[in-house]
Amino acid sequence: MKRIIVAVDGFSSCGKSTMAKELARETGYIYVDTGAMYRAVSLFCIRKGLMTDSKMNEEAIASELENMQLEFKTNTDGKSEIYLNGENVENIIRTLEVASGASRVSTLGVVRRELVRQQQLMGNNKGIVMDGRDIGTVVFPQAELKIFLTASPEIRAQRRLLEMKAKSESVDYDAVLTNVKERDERDVNRTESPLRKADDAIEIDNSNLTPAEQQQILRTLFAEKTLE
Ligand code: DC
């Protein structure tokens, strides 16, 4: 069976990571959450005071990047988690503040170039499922299977809200919906690698699909590509 690269792109809170993780688990492929990398850069910048609500110091961020080491490690129950300079930040990066910061730092060319370089190294041996915004267009334009996942902003906000409530975080629907729409706007309109569907990507709108239905579609597409 052929080893391939699977690129999963799409809007925030679409369920990309659930889909990508499940496929990686079923196939024994490596799973890489590139959003976690941008979130970790955001956390790094917030902590160092390089980014506040009103401004971002691009020059300082560029020169501090060499002091930021990112790594994925597999924890005891087989889940891949991100480490920032040796600290497990997998949970801390899931707040709305860090998410908004990630959407801002991800507009910077200097940040994107560094993260894309690291992501391309991870795909050297194929056998990888990577999710993000620019995987099929910039990181792995040669990926054998490209998925572009979409769902309406309202459905995505509702799903995100449930996830946050499950973690006992106090947020309301309107705040989550506003955050989802702001991030969409920035992802689609930024100059550096804006979110767009690669010409050869397969679009899946999962607004009305159950996770099981979605996974079955992906499984079939994966089987087709690896048997070719
Ligand atoms: O997928 P996520 O919500 O964890 O991503 C966080 C932010 O990072 C999101 O606003 C867009 C950005 N991002 C990006 O620009 N490129 C990627 N490949 C992944 C994420």
Side-chain angles (χ1 to χ4, degrees):
M1 216 206 253
K2 202 165 116 189
R3 270 168 84 78
I4 65 168
I5 293 179
V6 183
V8 181
D9 289 304
F11 293 96
S12 64
S13 307
C14 248
K16 296 186 298 296
S17 63
T18 309
M19 175 192 236
K21 256 184 230 165
E22 180 57 19
L23 181 67
R25 196 190 59 75
E26 286 178 12
T27 56
Y29 276 24
I30 292 168
Y31 164 65
V32 179
D33 171 2
T34 63
M37 299 173 77
Y38 288 93
R39 285 168 183 262
V41 175
S42 161
L43 179 66
F44 176 79
C45 293
I46 294 169
R47 283 177 171 176
K48 290 226 166 227
L50 306 173
M51 180 169 57
T52 61
D53 281 349
S54 57
K55 69 177 200 300
M56 198 161 48
N57 186 339
E58 185 172 351
E59 252 177 55
I61 293 175
S63 67
E64 281 286 343
L65 277 184
E66 63 182 16
N67 300 320
M68 184 202 67
Q69 202 221 341
L70 299 181
E71 215 182 336
F72 284 97
K73 288 188 197 167
T74 306
N75 72 13
T76 42
D77 48 330
K79 279 207 288 186
S80 158
E81 298 189 321
I82 191 157
Y83 285 70
L84 166 63
N85 291 339
E87 174 192 354
N88 183 337
V89 293
E90 183 65 35
N91 292 325
I92 317 173
I93 57 170
R94 304 291 160 193
T95 63
L96 283 185
E97 185 200 7
V98 175
S100 291
S103 137
R104 288 166 65 208
V105 291
S106 68
T107 62
L108 303 178
V110 67
V111 170
R112 300 205 73 84
R113 281 189 293 280
E114 176 54 21
L115 295 195
V116 167
R117 186 189 67 79
Q118 296 185 18
Q119 291 153 9
Q120 288 174 335
L121 286 176
M122 296 175 198
N124 267 348
N125 298 324
K126 301 207 175 191
I128 192 165
V129 186
M130 192 174 272
D131 80 49
R133 305 292 190 286
D134 57 344
I135 313 306
T137 50
V138 176
V139 183
F140 297 125
Q142 78 285 21
E144 290 85 351
L145 177 57
K146 298 181 186 178
I147 305 292
F148 191 81
L149 206 55
T150 64
S152 75
E154 290 73 19
I155 287 191
R156 289 186 279 133
Q158 194 58 49
R159 290 180 186 156
R160 186 93 190 91
L161 188 74
L162 288 178
E163 262 173 38
M164 295 177 106
K165 281 196 172 151
K167 291 186 202 155
S168 313
E169 288 176 33
S170 60
V171 274
D172 68 13
Y173 173 76
D174 290 338
V176 178
L177 181 61
T178 305
N179 181 269
V180 163
K181 287 185 175 170
E182 272 172 12
R183 292 205 285 148
D184 285 0
E185 167 80 17
R186 247 186 242 130
D187 286 351
V188 169
N189 293 315
R190 67 176 175 232
T191 335
E192 292 282 342
S193 316
L195 170 65
R196 65 170 186 83
K197 176 182 163 300
D199 293 339
D200 51 349
I202 296 157
E203 183 164 342
I204 301 176
D205 181 335
N206 70 10
S207 302
N208 299 306
L209 291 179
T210 64
E213 286 167 340
Q214 170 177 287
Q215 221 53 39
Q216 190 48 48
I217 296 173
L218 187 61
R219 220 174 269 137
T220 308
L221 291 169
F222 180 84
E224 281 168 16
K225 293 288 176 188
T226 48
L227 290 175
E228 264 171 19

